[in-house]
Amino acid sequence: MNKCKIALLVMVLMSVKGLSQARQEYLLEKNWRFAKGDHPEASKEAFNDKSWETVRIPHDWAIKGPFDGNNDLQKVQILQNGEQEATMKAGRTGGLPFIGTGWYRLSFSVPEFRAGQKAVLLFDGAMSNAVVYVNGRKVGNWPYGYNSFSFDITSFLHPKGQNTLAVRLENFEQASRWYPGAGLYRNVHLIVTNDAHVPVWGTYITTPTITKESAAVQLLTTIDRSNKKSALRVKTNLLNAAGKVVATASTPLKADSNTVTQQFAITQPALWSPETPVMYKAVTQVYEGTQLKDQYETPFGIRTIEYKAGKGFLLNGQPRKFRGVCNHHDLGPLGAAINTAALRRQIRLLKDMGCDAIRTSHNMPAPELVTLCDEMGIMLMVESFDEWKAPKVKNGYSLYFDEWVEKDLLNMLHHYRNNPSNIMWSIGNEVPDQSSANGKDIARRLQDICHREDPTRPVTAGMDRFDDAINKGFAAVLDIPGFNYKPARYPEAHSKLPQGFLMGSETASTVSSRGVYKFPVGFYKGKMYDDNQCSSYDFEVCSWSQVPDDEFVQQEELDYTIGEFVWTGFDYLGEPTPYDSKWPSHSSYFGIFDLAGIPKDRFYLYRSHWNKQQPTLHLLPHWTWPGREGQVTPVFCYTNYPSAELFVNGKSMGRLSKDTTTHQSRYRLMWNEVVYQPGTIRVVAYDNTGKAVAEDSVSTAGTPHHIRLEADNNALSADGKDLSYITASVVDEQGNICPAANHLLRFEVTGAGSFKAVANGDPTCLEAFHLPQMKTFSGKLVFIVQSGEKAGDIKALVKSAGLQAASYTIHVK
């Protein structure tokens, strides 16, 4: 679908430049009115909303807080010593005030709307239990907050003059296991077409045969129309990445038909992969005689995917294993409100780590994420549900399953079946139905729906109940058996299942706090400390999970494993395990990146294993430990070089090489008996020939002296939405990070943009994200600057008592 966008100005929808008059799409983003609480009269046209807050969509009404451990306090039964015990989970959904009802209202007009045209509202997602009204009349409802849905509002519109759109949303308590967000947190579109048109998600592209010389492309197009008497003609051009037409077809549509199948051949096709994310586009035009009735664009890619016993996963005929992460949908300090620039930053960071796949845990993704994965080269496991018929939480998806599951699946399947980045569907995550007598039957039913609507992709589910999934036939039903946290049982699963391959659908769940190190260093499960932090030596896990190295070994040694999806790429709001019952922890510790998007030490462990193209050499911990003089302070090195030598204040601690003695020694170099003394630790790395090729060092920091700023983006678009993430670090006079610094920084942003949000990555920090100040955590934080809608410069000034201030200039054009 053409995603051209334009602002809503002066309460009037302006037409989209460059689009054919046959189809116009408007992004309904500005001048919405919002009020928390229930306002039943707000559905009516005449309702006075002048006192309501004016907001821009996407909007998350709960992200500004304040945090409170009593927000969605959940009572959960857990197994302790073989017995069920109740525990209160204070931070399970982030401690943010998302429970309750909220209303949105928008006044708009549709210029040049003519008799015989059609109008459709498309919601990319609405959290949750959406009820939609146009001009005082109910249009429809959609309960699942993560899915996209659309309504034909033609008969509800005033063809001339103003129209009123009202949306009621309600979040229930105990409806989620993480922070879901609240409100119109994804985009809303108005699509105006002629009577004869391609409906929402009305095309389906497949590539049945692909060789180096040629690719066969098949396009199935659905046409909606009320006039069945006139014959139509459907013309489609296929364009390559340079915009050149590489194939064309023109096909008549009989008066009694509503679908057209067109065949194409593209010579010397450029294949899509994470390394070469080449995109094509189908431009479909619907004609009645010589009159253009509609034009519809479908981006697509050309690639083959295969899953074979004995060979595993093959992309374009080449075997590979997924180097994937699971991600929840929130964007840290931005909350659930979708932002393309924030997603682009996440993907950039993941690709630098060597990541090539994302699992959309545990729900349908935002369309912007899928589009970016197409364009930037990330494979996707597109997931649907965290719950089926058997509940995990009091008010979860089980309440809607019977009535809505097929509708929700159909929307997901039709929405994302043309995207080349999408390489499998997931129908569920850790559903308790694995243990029920009819669990396998539900799995088969949902998988059959996926196969019916899209025979080109396999289906998986994340299974955590290993014995039940195997013994009750659940795992055998799935195209791809996905196991959560069961690397030691992969051989058993392989011997009992028919597929001939399996996947780590959720792995590791290692926990750590960026820049925090605990002593003595050791392997711990569910370890808790008085400060509610976890150690970044990357040896601490949950009761059910493992350190990264345990999964690495199985993925390397077992040829029938097809890859892993680590829990998680980024920290997220909610699920602060192991402190989910110990307030004020309110965000996760699982991330390879913290909530601000700053890499933890674990980033370099994964990068050293996954990204062989770029050298990695990283030392931990920091080397500023007043009071630890003379005490054992192990030093680890994460590197993709085979060996390295450590020096403490110039004295060699020995040269180590990776070996297979333990899982850790295969992937880490560890000097476990180093005694702390202030100064400098330095590591020298050697290649396979024994040549010294790289070095890294960490020095003891002195007194905090000044603030250092680094931005990820120096040039922003003047669209009012583009972002620059600026990392602020407290350093000593020589530029060494001060790891204990917790200075309160204040931000002044002037010029062609504004301050947007700030985060420091501390899961226990209760400071508001939207206020222009915050304390650093482990010496750092990240604040976000947003562009305005006019060209110019943005100046960001950062101050703190006792430190030299710093400023940064960003250009907007």
Side-chain angles (χ1 to χ4, degrees):
M1 179 179 298
N2 194 312
K3 291 293 183 184
C4 294
K5 299 174 180 178
I6 194 160
L8 177 63
L9 299 175
V10 200
M11 307 307 286
V12 176
L13 289 169
M14 308 300 292
S15 61
V16 179
K17 286 186 177 180
L19 275 184
S20 163
Q21 290 300 305
R23 169 183 291 261
Q24 298 177 62
E25 181 173 341
Y26 310 98
L27 190 63
L28 308 183
E29 57 178 350
K30 292 184 179 180
N31 295 320
W32 287 81
R33 297 282 188 168
F34 168 74
K36 187 80 180 289
D38 206 358
H39 306 273
E41 298 297 307
S43 64
K44 298 179 180 179
E45 284 186 89
F47 181 82
N48 186 348
D49 58 19
K50 298 302 182 184
S51 64
W52 288 15
E53 179 184 2
T54 300
V55 299
R56 181 170 180 163
I57 303 302
H59 175 246
D60 180 350
W61 83 53
I63 190 58
K64 291 183 179 181
F67 292 103
D68 190 322
N70 293 310
N71 284 329
D72 200 31
L73 187 64
Q74 296 190 19
K75 185 177 181 180
V76 179
Q77 295 290 329
I78 61 172
L79 191 66
Q80 293 278 24
N81 302 318
E83 295 183 1
Q84 290 286 335
E85 293 184 7
T87 182
M88 301 303 292
K89 292 184 178 289
R92 192 181 206 194
T93 48
L96 287 164
F98 67 92
I99 305 302
T101 304
W103 280 83
Y104 292 84
R105 284 172 52 88
L106 178 70
S107 178
F108 67 96
S109 63
V110 188
E112 301 179 6
F113 187 81
R114 302 183 303 277
Q117 287 190 314
K118 296 290 183 181
V120 170
L121 276 177
L122 171 62
F123 292 80
D124 290 341
M127 190 62 68
S128 56
N129 296 290
V131 185
V132 179
Y133 303 85
V134 172
N135 295 326
R137 298 163 58 197
K138 181 179 175 181
V139 173
N141 68 293
W142 204 278
Y144 194 32
Y146 292 107
N147 212 347
S148 299
F149 57 93
S150 62
F151 298 122
D152 185 335
I153 61 167
T154 306
S155 63
F156 296 81
L157 279 182
H158 299 320
K160 299 184 183 297
Q162 294 297 109
N163 293 273
T164 300
L165 169 60
V167 183
R168 182 189 188 272
L169 299 168
E170 183 174 12
N171 284 340
F172 299 128
E173 65 175 1
Q174 300 187 52
S176 179
R177 299 187 301 117
W178 56 87
Y179 176 67
L184 291 177
Y185 73 113
R186 293 180 181 171
N187 279 307
V188 182
H189 314 258
L190 175 64
I191 304 163
V192 179
T193 64
N194 289 312
D195 174 60
H197 65 280
V198 180
V200 173
W201 314 321
T203 58
Y204 179 36
I205 285 185
T206 55
T207 50
T209 306
I210 300 174
T211 67
K212 290 182 178 179
E213 293 73 30
S214 179
V217 178
Q218 178 174 290
L219 173 62
L220 175 65
T221 302
T222 300
I223 307 295
D224 278 356
R225 56 179 172 165
S226 57
N227 182 1
K228 300 290 186 180
K229 295 180 180 179
S230 61
L232 302 175
R233 180 169 55 90
V234 178
K235 178 184 177 182
T236 300
N237 290 327
L238 302 188
L239 281 61
N240 64 13
K244 179 183 177 182
V245 176
V246 292
T248 188
S250 183
T251 310
L253 178 68
K254 296 180 180 180
D256 61 351
S257 177
N258 67 342
T259 60
V260 168
T261 300
Q262 295 176 308
Q263 310 284 350
F264 308 85
I266 296 178
T267 59
Q268 303 296 317
L271 301 187
W272 187 95
S273 73
E275 294 71 34
T276 59
V278 179
M279 294 295 293
Y280 289 81
K281 181 167 60 178
V283 180
T284 300
Q285 296 176 319
V286 180
Y287 285 91
E288 182 179 315
T290 59
Q291 182 183 5
L292 178 64
K293 304 294 286 185
D294 193 16
Q295 179 168 303
Y296 187 96
E297 296 184 0
T298 310
F300 70 100
I302 299 173
R303 53 99 178 106
T304 64
I305 54 173
E306 300 172 272
Y307 297 81
K308 293 183 175 180
K311 294 186 177 181
F313 169 62
L314 295 90
L315 178 68
N316 298 325
Q318 300 300 311
R320 62 189 295 159
K321 297 194 178 191
F322 299 116
R323 304 186 301 270
V325 299
C326 304
N327 271 345
H328 272 314
H329 70 301
D330 80 65
L331 295 170
L334 301 180
I338 202 64
N339 181 280
T340 299
L343 289 171
R344 184 180 291 112
R345 173 186 182 242
Q346 285 194 343
I347 293 173
R348 258 196 328 260
L349 292 170
L350 290 172
K351 285 187 72 76
D352 179 51
M353 187 174 67
C355 174
D356 65 7
I358 292 173
R359 176 189 181 206
T360 69
S361 316
H362 298 294
N363 43 261
M364 294 83 169
E368 290 85 354
L369 173 64
V370 182
T371 297
L372 284 171
C373 289
D374 284 345
E375 296 172 352
M376 298 177 71
I378 288 283
M379 296 179 286
L380 282 172
M381 180 201 303
V382 177
E383 193 155 85
S384 48
F385 310 111
D386 188 54
E387 209 176 86
W388 291 352
K389 289 180 73 68
K392 295 181 183 179
V393 289
K394 177 182 175 182
N395 291 309
Y397 192 77
S398 61
L399 298 180
Y400 311 109
F401 183 87
D402 288 337
E403 180 182 355
W404 285 92
V405 67
E406 184 161 0
K407 300 173 189 176
D408 277 319
L409 272 182
L410 287 177
N411 278 19
M412 179 188 77
L413 295 164
H414 292 170
H415 197 169
Y416 299 122
R417 62 185 180 179
N418 293 322
N419 296 92
S421 58
N422 176 11
I423 44 76
M424 72 177 86
W425 305 108
S426 171
I427 53 176
N429 168 68
E430 297 183 354
V431 293
D433 309 75
Q434 296 165 85
S435 301
S436 66
N438 66 338
K440 68 179 184 302
D441 301 318
I442 300 174
R444 183 179 290 109
R445 176 196 166 204
L446 302 187
Q447 181 168 265
D448 285 347
I449 294 171
C450 295
H451 289 168
R452 182 189 75 207
E453 302 298 320
D454 177 31
T456 71
R457 290 178 181 84
V459 176
T460 189
M463 298 177 287
D464 64 327
R465 304 185 179 198
F466 184 94
D467 293 311
D468 282 348
I470 295 289
N471 297 332
K472 295 178 181 290
F474 190 99
V477 167
L478 300 169
D479 297 328
I480 302 173
F483 290 99
N484 294 3
Y485 310 109
K486 299 296 184 292
R489 303 191 73 177
Y490 288 166
E492 180 184 353
H494 179 62
S495 70
K496 293 181 176 179
L497 292 176
Q499 293 91 339
F501 54 83
L502 55 84
M503 174 178 65
S505 43
E506 192 171 313
T507 64
S509 272
T510 305
V511 291
S512 63
S513 303
R514 176 184 53 80
V516 175
Y517 306 91
K518 300 294 187 179
F519 304 97
V521 177
F523 293 96
Y524 299 108
K525 291 200 172 212
K527 179 79 169 179
M528 291 192 284
Y529 304 90
D530 291 341
D531 62 358
N532 280 33
Q533 304 293 351
C534 298
S535 177
S536 278
Y537 276 104
D538 300 325
F539 279 171
E540 297 184 2
V541 299
C542 306
S543 61
W544 65 84
S545 62
Q546 300 84 31
V547 294
D549 327 67
D550 292 345
E551 187 72 33
F552 290 168
V553 170
Q554 299 297 69
Q555 293 293 336
E556 281 197 317
E557 291 192 344
L558 306 178
D559 57 7
Y560 50 82
T561 58
I562 63 172
E564 65 167 316
F565 290 82
V566 181
W567 191 264
T568 53
F570 290 80
D571 275 340
Y572 55 93
L573 293 163
E575 281 195 308
T577 310
Y579 299 106
D580 50 3
S581 300
K582 191 179 177 188
W583 188 256
S585 292
H586 60 268
S587 63
S588 78
Y589 299 77
F590 298 117
I592 298 170
F593 297 88
D594 71 15
L595 199 69
I598 303 173
K600 302 180 186 179
D601 291 298
R602 234 179 316 140
F603 165 84
Y604 299 96
L605 178 60
Y606 280 98
R607 190 178 192 266
S608 68
H609 183 55
W610 282 356
N611 188 347
K612 304 299 185 184
Q613 307 305 313
Q614 300 294 330
T616 297
L617 185 64
H618 175 74
L619 277 177
L620 65 123
H622 64 73
W623 208 241
T624 305
W625 295 105
R628 282 197 64 80
E629 292 82 1
Q631 296 184 46
V632 172
T633 306
V635 175
F636 289 5
C637 177
Y638 296 158
T639 181
N640 48 17
Y641 294 108
S643 63
E645 186 174 6
L646 177 69
F647 297 86
V648 177
N649 295 332
K651 181 180 178 181
S652 175
M653 297 292 106
R655 179 170 166 179
L656 297 179
S657 298
K658 294 177 184 177
D659 61 46
T660 58
T661 305
T662 67
H663 288 182
Q664 282 63 52
S665 62
R666 291 174 65 153
Y667 307 102
R668 321 179 190 209
L669 300 175
M670 299 173 290
W671 291 267
N672 291 317
E673 304 302 323
V674 175
V675 173
Y676 174 69
Q677 49 186 299
T680 298
I681 54 175
R682 181 172 66 95
V683 67
V684 176
Y686 301 90
D687 65 14
N688 287 319
T689 69
K691 179 182 176 182
V693 289
E695 67 175 62
D696 185 31
S697 64
V698 179
S699 296
T700 303
T703 302
H705 180 266
H706 63 275
I707 301 165
R708 184 173 66 210
L709 302 180
E710 301 168 272
D712 76 325
N713 193 355
N714 293 317
L716 302 182
S717 299
D719 60 3
K721 296 180 279 191
D722 206 0
L723 304 176
S724 179
Y725 284 73
I726 303 176
T727 302
S729 303
V730 177
V731 298
D732 67 10
E733 195 167 6
Q734 287 71 44
N736 298 305
I737 294 286
C738 298
N742 63 346
H743 291 67
L744 179 66
L745 305 188
R746 301 182 186 275
F747 316 103
E748 298 175 10
V749 179
T750 56
S754 59
F755 171 85
K756 180 66 175 177
V758 59
N760 60 15
D762 179 0
T764 72
C765 176
L766 300 181
E767 297 175 76
F769 298 128
H770 67 287
L771 299 180
Q773 63 178 45
M774 186 171 281
K775 289 183 178 179
T776 57
F777 176 64
S778 296
K780 291 185 178 184
L781 56 70
V782 171
F783 67 100
I784 306 170
V785 170
Q786 180 172 273
S787 67
E789 295 184 342
K790 294 182 179 179
D793 286 343
I794 302 172
K795 184 175 180 181
L797 178 64
V798 185
K799 298 179 180 180
S800 181
L803 299 176
Q804 286 186 9
S807 64
Y808 204 97
T809 299
I810 295 169
H811 307 293
V812 179
K813 55 186 178 180

